[in-house]
Amino acid sequence: MADQPSDWLSKLGNLLVPSSSQPKTNPVATVSNTRILNELVASFQDSVPRESVGKSMLFNAHFLIILHPDTYEARQNAFPVIVNEAVNAFTTFIESQKSNYERVVPVAANWFFKFGGGREFGGEPVTPTDVKVVGALTGILPGNDPAQSPDRIHVTRRVKQTNRFEKVDIDPNTFQHIDFREPGAFVVKFTFSTPAPTTARPPAGAPATRHAPGLPRSLGAGLAQINHYIAELNKEDSYLMRDREIVVARKEPDNQHFPNYLLLESAYVSNPHARIRYNDEMQAFQIASFSRNETRVNEQLIPRSEPASPQWYALPDQAQILLNSMVTLTFQRHD
């Protein structure tokens, strides 16, 4: 009988000299930013034919992205970029589907994304290689007061590891093991393209009304319009900026008597949170942030300064201001 190397001797050799054909693997590295993005886009695209009715296009606008805690830590710095890419992909897909529908009628007012880390979801373990996306038309806010939470949340999710998505009812207690950190929450205003409004022309011979270039119209007409959306309340409203400088703050009794305060009913807003002013010399708007939590303008982080010594930063004529990842201000300068 020909001599053959014994099995135990071969194993011993591998222990003494590890084989180069057995590279070490990093389980977190298997979940790339692109993988998370692709799961989000797939969940959204699947919702369009399922949720749309007749000639009205509906789709999921609220998403929970559940990752293993190690994956969450490894990928959290890329979340804003993933959200931005996802919104771009959603918008492109909506445009490509408009020939099949007459109207785009989302139920929500904004895109809402919330990332969380957990080791278990729905009775199943969450591993470092898992990306679980839960989508809904609107209203996914885990962590609410249980007394105010519904008994069931109507959502869609991928069925195990298949490419099939199904509409299911989930008990809110399913989310109790997920750590949904507020820095992992993002709200993005819808920016669907709409036909340009037609403006009435003055009759022939009528005098043209002009104002000095670079200056806003009268204070009574407002220097700017600020629409705001509060995610935890799913509430939106608008504010007309008539003063040259305003303060953005949390709505509290002590602030009620200030006429130039934009008061927001949200625990995620600091008191004060920021100031917005019109700089006559520069003929431009500026913003200063005082919050220890994040303030972003068009996704750019605004460094914090002290209220007594504000550091001013340029505020574009059209801008999205995100307060603590939960309150969205849409700023629009008036000409």
Side-chain angles (χ1 to χ4, degrees):
M1 179 181 296
D3 293 337
Q4 295 181 354
S6 63
D7 186 53
W8 70 268
L9 186 59
S10 174
K11 292 180 179 179
L12 178 62
N14 287 336
L15 290 174
L16 297 177
V17 183
S19 172
S20 59
S21 63
Q22 298 176 350
K24 295 181 179 180
T25 59
N26 181 0
V28 174
T30 61
V31 177
S32 64
N33 298 329
T34 300
R35 163 91 184 281
I36 300 173
L37 173 63
N38 290 342
E39 292 285 351
L40 268 170
V41 174
S43 178
F44 167 76
Q45 291 182 348
D46 180 81
S47 73
V48 173
R50 184 184 58 252
E51 300 292 353
S52 297
V53 179
K55 294 297 183 180
S56 297
M57 186 196 303
L58 281 78
F59 44 77
N60 286 344
H62 282 215
F63 298 92
L64 300 180
I65 304 93
I66 301 165
L67 308 168
H68 186 275
D70 293 341
T71 307
Y72 183 99
E73 293 295 333
R75 297 300 173 197
Q76 61 179 330
N77 290 336
F79 290 164
V81 181
I82 293 173
V83 167
N84 184 62
E85 291 293 331
V87 170
N88 290 339
F90 295 173
T91 304
T92 300
F93 187 78
I94 290 172
E95 292 295 329
S96 71
Q97 297 295 308
K98 279 187 174 180
S99 60
N100 300 325
Y101 304 93
E102 294 179 357
R103 297 169 295 277
V104 178
V105 285
V107 176
N110 299 267
W111 301 111
F112 179 80
F113 303 84
K114 203 164 189 178
F115 293 82
R119 300 179 184 276
E120 178 186 343
F121 176 69
E124 299 177 356
V126 178
T127 72
T129 60
D130 287 333
V131 177
K132 297 183 181 295
V133 176
V134 178
L137 292 173
T138 186
I140 305 182
L141 290 173
N144 287 352
D145 183 356
Q148 300 178 354
S149 299
D151 294 334
R152 295 284 176 178
I153 301 175
H154 212 36
V155 301
T156 57
R157 56 182 292 193
R158 186 188 292 270
V159 180
K160 295 183 179 180
Q161 299 301 319
T162 71
N163 288 324
R164 184 163 51 91
F165 291 81
E166 285 187 353
K167 193 99 172 179
V168 295
D169 288 331
I170 290 184
D171 186 337
N173 292 328
T174 301
F175 301 112
Q176 65 183 350
H177 301 301
I178 309 299
D179 180 17
F180 289 102
R181 308 182 187 184
E182 294 315 326
F186 303 88
V187 180
V188 182
K189 195 74 175 177
F190 289 148
T191 56
F192 305 135
S193 61
T194 55
T198 58
T199 56
R201 296 184 179 181
T209 57
R210 298 180 180 272
H211 58 273
L215 292 177
R217 296 180 297 181
S218 67
L219 295 180
L223 308 183
Q225 181 84 14
I226 304 177
N227 298 323
H228 49 86
Y229 173 73
I230 302 174
E232 75 262 30
L233 300 179
N234 194 24
K235 177 181 178 182
E236 57 183 330
D237 206 341
S238 61
Y239 174 86
L240 188 61
M241 180 177 172
R242 292 189 173 92
D243 298 277
R244 298 266 174 177
E245 183 171 323
I246 66 170
V247 177
V248 180
R250 185 170 57 248
K251 186 176 182 180
E252 293 185 349
D254 292 343
N255 295 333
Q256 299 287 348
H257 61 281
F258 293 112
N260 66 328
Y261 269 49
L262 168 53
L263 299 177
L264 300 169
E265 193 175 356
S266 172
Y268 299 98
V269 174
S270 301
N271 190 30
H273 197 109
R275 282 162 60 186
I276 297 174
R277 74 174 184 181
Y278 180 77
N279 188 314
D280 290 282
E281 182 178 349
M282 299 178 62
Q283 297 187 353
F285 284 89
Q286 296 176 310
I287 185 171
S289 174
F290 312 124
S291 177
R292 298 187 182 278
N293 299 308
E294 285 189 354
T295 300
R296 292 180 177 270
V297 175
N298 293 340
E299 300 185 5
Q300 297 297 315
L301 181 65
I302 302 299
R304 177 184 180 272
S305 58
E306 295 296 332
S309 181
Q311 298 180 27
W312 296 101
Y313 296 87
L315 180 62
D317 294 346
Q318 294 182 335
Q320 182 189 83
I321 306 170
L322 189 60
L323 309 180
N324 200 9
S325 301
M326 288 296 285
V327 177
T328 305
L329 308 182
T330 304
F331 179 87
Q332 173 66 62
R333 169 179 175 161
H334 283 172
D335 294 326

